[in-house]
Amino acid sequence: MLDLALQKLVASRRGSPRILRPSRLESAPARVSVVVPCYNYGRFLPDCLKSILTQEGVDIDIIVVDDASTDQSSQIAHRFTDADSRVKLIRNSRNKGHIETYNIGFAQATGTYVFLLSADDVLTPGALARAATLMEMHPTVGFAYGWSVPFTSILPPARTEARRWTVWNGKQWVSALCRRGGNVIRSSDALIRRSVLEKVGGYRKDLPHSGDLEWWLRAALVSDVGIVGGVDQMYYRLHGSNMSRVQYGTTLINLEETKRAFDAALTAAQDLDLRRTVYQTLARQALHFAIADFMSDAGGSGRVDSYKSFALRLDPKVAESREWAALERRRKAGIESARRNPIFLGREQVRMFSGKLGWRLWRFTGM
């Protein structure tokens, strides 16, 4: 019932994607090259490689690119290359960083499709075949992604039967992403057609923090986008810095890096309207962060003012927005008064409901 209601909501929106029933592929298995960049993740590498080697319904080869690790990564990778001819190891003579390491792996890919999987992550059973089948059935789709399940040490159960396919016109997907103001693909969780990869090129070295977002934008500007829905495609490992709570400095940096990614992709596409849209979205996001920071009493006026400065730089008219007025009302009332005021609390509940609806739509349409 919920899926039907969401499908009707999606269909009513301008520039909506096509929601399709998954099909079965009768032709020969697709060839997929999986690039596995690794830097000091030797302890995670066996689980990663086993999850690829046990994929059914596709013809795979694996390219492990060890970025001059100082642990046992290369030795562990060699155990797999010795045991299985489908696994190849490339070892950088010096540490070149993640962007160049990705691109080294891409240059060696020979499959019809390419998947980039970090050495600390794990594929769910059947993930590559599910994405490849969608793309085989819809040749205009340049890349396809799905849902990623976070985990720490024990893998939770995975959903492995796709319930729907969503196919977006690439430029409409980019437009929707501009209205959203951020990435919807966790890590590198997408299968890309190698012909599209060769057309758009690899990751940009000047975008080490948001290169994945810019890459997907660039690919979507030349092809359609597919989403494998109602299923889990990848396990995304949480550890170290991934588990830390996002702090003020990181949040503002993320906003700046997101802006840089959109700037790079949309400037190349010469689309000023979309860039204006994403600037407006990022400006409002900054004000939402400012409100949250103020209400938590975590940042003080200096942090709030930094968010406001960022918002004004991107969109001077944001000073006339509801978000700006909401922030100023709270600042005028003071933290304690704002926390007790039922008007502010009611508005927060409305915003939380809107956020939950947006999350459900994201799960349903991939956007």
Side-chain angles (χ1 to χ4, degrees):
M1 183 65 71
L2 179 60
D3 276 5
L4 181 59
L6 287 172
Q7 188 165 343
K8 289 181 178 179
L9 178 60
V10 170
S12 68
R13 293 186 165 190
R14 178 173 57 86
S16 60
R18 290 179 289 157
I19 308 297
L20 307 169
R21 185 183 299 275
S23 305
R24 293 190 180 278
L25 187 65
E26 302 298 335
S27 60
R31 180 125 182 275
V32 180
S33 294
V34 184
V35 175
V36 180
C38 182
Y39 178 67
N40 288 345
Y41 277 170
R43 62 196 184 279
F44 301 132
L45 188 58
D47 288 342
C48 174
L49 295 181
K50 289 175 185 176
S51 77
I52 304 169
L53 291 168
T54 54
Q55 291 288 305
E56 297 181 350
V58 287
D59 178 14
I60 66 137
D61 66 275
I62 303 173
I63 306 159
V64 180
V65 188
D66 179 16
D67 193 22
S69 296
T70 58
D71 65 356
Q72 299 296 308
S73 292
S74 283
Q75 292 90 324
I76 293 169
H78 272 302
R79 295 177 200 164
F80 284 85
T81 61
D82 292 342
D84 197 314
S85 61
R86 294 175 295 173
V87 185
K88 174 183 178 180
L89 172 64
I90 299 172
R91 179 172 170 79
N92 294 340
S93 58
R94 58 177 177 80
N95 184 267
K96 298 184 178 182
H98 63 290
I99 297 295
E100 191 169 351
T101 297
Y102 298 169
N103 291 338
I104 288 171
F106 290 155
Q108 297 297 315
T110 57
T112 305
Y113 303 102
V114 181
F115 195 95
L116 179 67
L117 183 67
S118 176
D120 58 335
D121 293 333
V122 176
L123 288 176
T124 62
L128 297 180
R130 287 190 292 270
T133 299
L134 186 160
M135 298 176 73
E136 289 283 288
M137 298 295 289
H138 297 275
T140 63
V141 171
F143 63 92
Y145 63 97
W147 186 252
S148 300
V149 180
F151 79 106
T152 51
S153 56
I154 300 175
L155 296 178
R159 301 169 300 165
T160 57
E161 190 68 34
R163 298 180 62 181
R164 62 191 164 273
W165 289 343
T166 305
V167 176
W168 284 82
N169 170 277
K171 292 182 180 178
Q172 290 176 348
W173 186 85
V174 170
S175 179
L177 206 63
C178 289
R179 294 192 297 271
R180 185 179 183 89
N183 207 348
V184 293
I185 305 177
R186 175 177 279 162
S187 184
S188 56
D189 175 23
L191 185 69
I192 188 167
R193 201 178 293 273
R194 184 163 61 90
S195 60
V196 172
L197 170 60
E198 291 174 345
K199 185 173 185 177
V200 302
Y203 278 48
R204 288 178 52 144
K205 295 180 182 179
D206 59 335
L207 294 171
H209 301 292
S210 56
D212 54 345
L213 170 58
E214 190 274 339
W215 195 46
W216 301 128
L217 287 166
R218 206 181 335 142
L221 287 168
V222 300
S223 67
D224 291 342
V225 180
I227 297 95
V228 185
V231 68
D232 301 318
Q233 288 291 88
M234 191 183 85
Y235 291 111
Y236 177 78
R237 191 184 298 268
L238 299 174
H239 60 90
S241 60
N242 289 334
M243 299 183 69
S244 63
R245 187 176 179 180
V246 175
Q247 300 296 321
Y248 156 76
T250 303
T251 304
L252 199 57
I253 289 171
N254 284 343
L255 288 170
E256 290 280 8
E257 292 300 325
T258 298
K259 172 187 174 295
R260 291 187 66 214
F262 277 103
D263 278 345
L266 298 177
T267 299
Q270 298 183 337
D271 199 322
L272 298 179
D273 289 338
L274 284 182
R275 191 165 66 167
R276 188 178 303 113
T277 296
V278 77
Y279 278 13
Q280 292 169 348
T281 301
L282 291 174
R284 291 195 299 271
Q285 284 184 7
L287 294 181
H288 282 301
F289 284 123
I291 290 172
D293 211 25
F294 176 76
M295 294 296 287
S296 68
D297 197 21
S301 60
R303 293 184 178 183
V304 171
D305 287 341
S306 293
Y307 282 121
K308 289 176 63 179
S309 296
F310 173 85
L312 284 171
R313 174 160 52 90
L314 266 62
D315 178 23
K317 290 186 177 180
V318 78
E320 303 168 11
S321 68
R322 288 178 297 177
E323 290 84 0
W324 186 281
L327 174 60
E328 293 308 303
R329 282 195 299 268
R330 284 165 173 78
R331 296 184 80 176
K332 184 176 180 180
I335 294 174
E336 295 304 323
S337 178
R339 286 174 175 171
R340 295 192 302 268
N341 193 316
I343 294 178
F344 294 143
L345 294 176
R347 286 170 178 160
E348 286 300 311
Q349 290 173 345
V350 170
R351 193 164 70 85
M352 288 175 62
F353 174 79
S354 298
K356 289 179 180 178
L357 177 60
W359 181 83
R360 288 189 179 277
L361 283 170
W362 176 30
R363 290 291 300 266
F364 191 79
T365 67
M367 177 61 65

